Amino acid sequence: MMNIVCLDLEGVLVPEIWIAFAEATNIPELKRTTRDEPDYDKLMKYRINILKEHGLGLKEIQDTIATIDPMPGAKEFLDELRSITQTIIISDTFTQFASPLMKKLGWPTIFCNTLEVADNGEITGFKMRCEQSKLTTVKALQSIGFETIASGDSHNDLGMIRASKAGFLFKSPDSIKAENPDLPAFETYEELMAAIKAAL
């Protein structure tokens, strides 16, 4: 069988974009992530309202993203992984956010969503690629002859992790580890690499 590894982006390869932006703008409400709010649609609408309240748009977020670097060791991990198997990043982030980070990671393949942005830079909405994008993508890959191995840190990663032939939590909060005691949970890229290699 052909294998393909599916990785989450934020919290796994790069820091959480919204947390970095919340810190840069001193708006603590923006620190909510999929670790806190499993309903992504609800989370994004909440974020867009806060941006509107504060008069912040895409440019301000992109300015913060420009200062974010991948987690230490993430690029080396990804380079090694891509040298041994096909790898896709599947993220609920948006192309407008992901591009500068993909550049720093050596342009891996990413499947993500897109923001709707007005001419003045205001974020007016968002377009999800598909329902339950991570799980749907993994099932689609399986339908065309791939076996998937998946890893992520949040509620929205559990679907793809559980639907894969091997799935791992990575740098997950204790609450998610406690709710999913059957899933192997790792903290370092070395551990994750060893587990992926064993599953290939």
Side-chain angles (χ1 to χ4, degrees):
M1 281 299 277
M2 288 286 294
N3 289 295
I4 194 158
V5 175
C6 302
L7 296 174
D8 175 37
L9 177 65
E10 292 180 67
V12 173
L13 297 168
V14 305
E16 294 276 351
I17 290 167
W18 287 96
I19 290 178
F21 187 61
E23 285 167 359
T25 54
N26 279 322
I27 305 172
E29 299 93 319
L30 287 174
K31 284 190 173 168
R32 280 181 79 77
T33 70
T34 49
R35 292 174 166 197
D36 314 301
E37 172 53 76
D39 184 335
Y40 194 71
D41 197 58
K42 201 165 131 185
L43 180 63
M44 273 311 298
K45 285 175 177 155
Y46 167 83
R47 287 167 168 170
I48 288 170
N49 283 333
I50 293 171
L51 293 176
K52 199 189 283 283
E53 262 171 52
H54 291 268
L56 297 167
L58 181 60
K59 185 192 179 305
E60 289 80 6
I61 299 177
Q62 286 177 328
D63 287 348
T64 294
I65 292 169
T67 70
I68 297 175
D69 285 320
M71 291 179 180
K75 184 178 186 299
E76 295 74 7
F77 165 77
L78 207 50
D79 287 347
E80 185 185 342
L81 190 59
R82 289 164 72 196
S83 76
I84 55 175
T85 187
Q86 295 296 317
T87 304
I88 298 181
I89 298 170
I90 307 178
S91 172
D92 278 338
T93 194
F94 304 94
T95 45
Q96 293 94 332
F97 293 177
S99 262
L101 294 165
M102 293 307 102
K103 185 177 182 181
K104 290 178 182 179
L105 285 169
W107 298 111
T109 299
I110 184 169
F111 291 174
C112 60
N113 304 304
T114 185
L115 289 169
E116 292 164 355
V117 184
D119 291 341
N120 67 356
E122 184 191 338
I123 297 171
T124 53
F126 56 98
K127 194 166 177 0
M128 301 299 276
R129 198 166 44 80
C130 54
E131 279 286 301
Q132 286 190 298
S133 60
K134 299 184 184 200
L135 176 59
T136 305
T137 303
V138 155
K139 285 186 166 166
L141 290 166
Q142 291 165 351
S143 79
I144 54 171
F146 287 102
E147 291 248 29
T148 60
I149 297 167
S151 185
D153 69 322
S154 275
H155 289 288
N156 61 343
D157 299 310
L158 294 170
M160 73 170 180
I161 288 171
R162 292 201 172 279
S164 294
K165 79 164 179 183
F168 314 108
L169 294 174
F170 186 69
K171 294 185 186 291
S172 281
D174 290 339
S175 56
I176 292 180
K177 287 190 247 186
E179 287 159 20
N180 299 277
D182 60 312
L183 293 177
F186 303 118
E187 297 300 321
T188 70
Y189 292 119
E190 290 73 19
E191 292 172 322
L192 183 58
M193 181 64 78
I196 291 171
K197 284 179 174 171
L200 285 172

